[in-house]
Amino acid sequence: MKKIYTLIIFCLILMQNASSQGVAIADIDSAGNTFTAFELKKSFTAIDINNQIATTITTQLFINNTNDTTGFKYAFPMRESAAATKIRWNYNGWQTASLIAAPQDSTFNADSAVTIYTPALLDTFLGHTPLYFPVDLSIAPGDSIMIELTYVELLSYRNNYVSFSYPGRYNLIQPTIGSAEFSVSINSYRIIDSILPRGYNVAVSAPGTTQASFSKTLLNTPFGTAFSFEYLLHPDSLGFFGFSTFYPDSIEMCDTINGFFTFIVEPNSESAIDIIGKDFVLIIDHSGSMSGTKMAQANEAAEFIVNNLNNGDRFNIVQFDDVAESLSPQFLNYTIQNKNTALNYINGISASGSTNISGSFDKAVPMYSASGSSRAKIIIFFTDGQPSAGITNSTQLIAHVKNLITNTAPDINLHVFGIGSDVNTNLLTELATQNNGSAAFLTTSNVATAISNFYTTIQNPVLLNTTITYNPPVVFQTYPNPLPNLYKGQQLIVTGRYTAPGPVTVTMNGTAFGNPVSYQYMLNLTDSLIEENSFLPKIWTQGKIDYLMTQYYLNLSNTQIANDIRKEIAALSLCRGVVSPFTSFSGANNGTGGTVGMEEIANNEDEIMLLVYPNPANNAFKVVIPKAYLSTGTASVSICSIDGRFITKIDVALGQDGVIDLNTEALMLETGIYILTVEVSGKAFKARLSVL
């Protein structure tokens, strides 16, 4: 599963990808041409938006309308910017899925199918970052099962508008859905001026306040149209807003830092003079593999960018196959005449030849030798293949581009787009992150939209070389890392941890027009567990996972470092209850054990019973017994393999905190999945343990 790992505000700019009702796929034939799915009878989706962070809980009722008793795999077209945090199902009682230390399994049993379908249609529905969940059950014909998925995401924001979208397209799966209900609640630190529903008419309550709510019920609908809306925040309340929560020691089990915070900052820069001029180069791969749809979309994206440059900008276009050529030997001032010349140049670009990536940068980077410190320096580069001409060794190519930029203009921001399935992910990620930029990986169907939306986000820079300091220094592990430039109409959203509550001075520094600029704000970090801010650990975890995934791609050439990062991501994912590329939800064992978020342990202790962390374990790990069951000072721990084979049994002493310290090596546990059974006070608790 590929995911976009960009460093600009949690990749909020590419949120147009699929997110829809999930589908219960019972079977796909061996050729992948047809599939069988349970009927989606009805769904209910609750959307709770707290200061632009949305928690969505979607519950769907499926009926096995086939003639066979069969299992199924639930597939949900998850957004690239969203993080799944929980799955439950109800089939003779609610069960909660576990997170396990294994990537998602997207395979299906091959059998004859009854529904005519095409792979392209399934891909169109699910997108390229779907969530898969295999339900370990056999459902009889006519029986129903309910699936509940919870996920969180930061919502797209531009020029005071916040956007939410839950696209439909379920008409691609079945003709109609009996009932689709939506309930929306918005709580904002800024006044909501208006709410603009898209696609469906809804009655909206309380515009002009900081809260709003509305709902919509669709009966016997094909649900082919997105359920989406925007809400407009009052422009006079720009500035800074922070929120935080502080977990007691009895709940915060993953590490010793108890505080989580997020703040949103948008300095007021309304006048046109506040927009920094930019020197911009678009590098277009037009090698032979770009022919057809890719080339057409690349040209469309280039035309959009040229049509949306600002007065005062300077620009150029570099196209390359085995040879690199440019529109002009040097930057052109943005004028109507130069714009029309560029559009004609773009229309003449066609696909042919091989891929000389190094040659394109040899052509583009020297143009910046005359750029001053007062200008934003931006390169957008995209390719669909591997380097096959010029410098073809990845390590040498990365070093070559880095040296070019360092020796010419080290403050260039290089943003890279990889198109299709044949790109070198490691190469492109390292090109971007070593040169102050971001990397994104796109399907062939969303190139023009993604690049156009990205350019719109960075169109008007207002603060360059952003840094943030905190006084007193009680703040740690903040993301995104590194911080992006700040652009007009965009927010900077920072999430992090803190060790001590109290007021903290946040100082944001940077440069504008070559001069230092500083903004200062006060962030009050709470000393209490704030229930309505319980999403903060999830948001922080997703930010850290995105950061670590970038480091993982950068270190793929060093197996040991990459493996260590992979283990860290898996451990973080399992302990915090946020799915990652190296973990997945499992419905085996009726959902017992596994890991859930800390707030779920606090609220559902009788249901959770047992916590194991870190999970997966590499060496030492801890087992935590709920304090309500600590009437005895000893416990018995039994360990079996996932297939039921007995491994060992030990008796251990319990401290007052109910924590049992164990070690995989001492227990002689090899890599795999195990079932722990802890007997204490006449009760037995089970949990699943993954060992790396």
Side-chain angles (χ1 to χ4, degrees), residues 244-429:
S244 57
T245 189
F246 196 80
Y247 283 81
D249 290 338
S250 60
I251 297 178
E252 177 48 50
M253 297 293 188
C254 293
D255 53 48
T256 59
I257 304 176
N258 292 42
F260 295 83
F261 74 88
T262 293
F263 65 75
I264 301 172
V265 59
E266 182 179 0
N268 200 334
S269 56
E270 288 301 316
S271 64
I273 196 171
D274 289 327
I275 299 172
I276 299 169
K278 56 183 179 291
D279 288 345
F280 176 85
V281 175
L282 176 64
I283 302 178
I284 305 172
D285 179 354
H286 72 104
S287 57
S289 58
M290 285 284 293
S291 61
T293 301
K294 294 178 185 177
M295 197 72 258
Q297 291 217 22
N299 289 350
E300 181 182 340
E303 290 173 356
F304 177 89
I305 291 172
V306 169
N307 278 315
N308 287 276
L309 291 166
N310 299 324
N311 291 327
D313 285 348
R314 301 188 304 185
F315 74 101
N316 212 333
I317 299 170
V318 172
Q319 59 168 317
F320 73 96
D321 48 20
D322 51 311
V323 175
E325 301 176 353
S326 61
L327 168 64
S328 169
Q330 57 203 10
F331 284 116
L332 296 173
N333 292 319
Y334 180 70
T335 64
I336 297 298
Q337 180 179 354
N338 287 339
K339 180 186 77 169
N340 292 333
T341 299
L343 293 175
N344 290 332
Y345 182 78
I346 292 167
N347 288 331
I349 297 176
S350 59
S352 65
S354 52
T355 307
N356 187 347
I357 293 177
S358 62
S360 71
F361 285 95
D362 288 337
K363 180 71 69 172
V365 174
M367 299 177 191
Y368 289 91
S369 59
S371 293
S373 60
S374 63
R375 302 184 68 82
K377 305 173 185 66
I378 300 170
I379 295 175
I380 289 183
F381 167 81
F382 58 86
T383 180
D384 75 330
Q386 310 272 354
S388 57
I391 300 174
T392 58
N393 177 274
S394 293
T395 302
Q396 294 175 4
L397 177 57
I398 292 165
H400 177 72
V401 174
K402 179 64 176 176
N403 288 335
L404 273 175
I405 290 177
T406 300
N407 294 328
T408 305
D411 54 345
I412 287 175
N413 296 106
L414 170 58
H415 303 292
V416 177
F417 291 85
I419 304 169
S421 58
D422 297 328
V423 296
N424 186 329
T425 305
N426 182 35
L427 167 66
L428 297 186
T429 301

Side-chain angles (χ1 to χ4, degrees), residues 101 567 571 612-623 637 639-640 647-650 652 660-676 688-692:
K567 291 178 181 179
V612 179
Y613 72 97
N615 194 352
N618 188 32
N619 195 335
F621 66 98
K622 298 178 184 293
V623 179
V637 180
I639 302 176
C640 296
I647 303 296
T648 187
K649 182 176 182 178
I650 59 173
V652 295
I660 303 172
D661 292 300
L662 297 172
N663 187 287
T664 58
E665 292 184 1
L667 296 169
M668 295 184 290
L669 300 181
E670 300 177 349
T671 300
I673 300 174
Y674 299 88
I675 302 299
L676 303 183
R688 184 191 303 263
L689 169 69
S690 297
V691 176
L692 298 173

Side-chain angles (χ1 to χ4, degrees), residues 20 117 121 125 168-177 221-225:
S20 178
Y117 213 68
L121 198 57
F125 176 76
R169 301 193 298 188
Y170 212 81
N171 59 323
L172 302 179
I173 305 297
Q174 65 187 50
T176 61
I177 301 174
T221 174
F223 198 62
T225 302

Side-chain angles (χ1 to χ4, degrees), residues 48-55 185-189 231 241 243 264 532-533 535:
D48 183 15
I49 300 173
N50 191 327
N51 296 308
Q52 300 165 222
I53 298 171
T55 299
S185 174
I186 305 173
N187 180 47
S188 173
Y189 68 96
Y231 59 94
F241 180 79
F243 35 105
I264 301 172
E532 58 265 33
N533 292 342
F535 58 84

Side-chain angles (χ1 to χ4, degrees), residues 43-49 54-59 148-151 164 166 181-185 214 227:
S43 69
F44 176 77
T45 303
I47 302 150
D48 183 15
I49 300 173
T55 299
T56 299
I57 303 176
T58 181
T59 307
E148 178 191 275
L149 169 66
T150 302
Y151 62 93
F164 178 90
Y166 192 99
E181 300 179 49
F182 295 88
S183 175
V184 179
S185 174
F214 56 95
F227 181 81

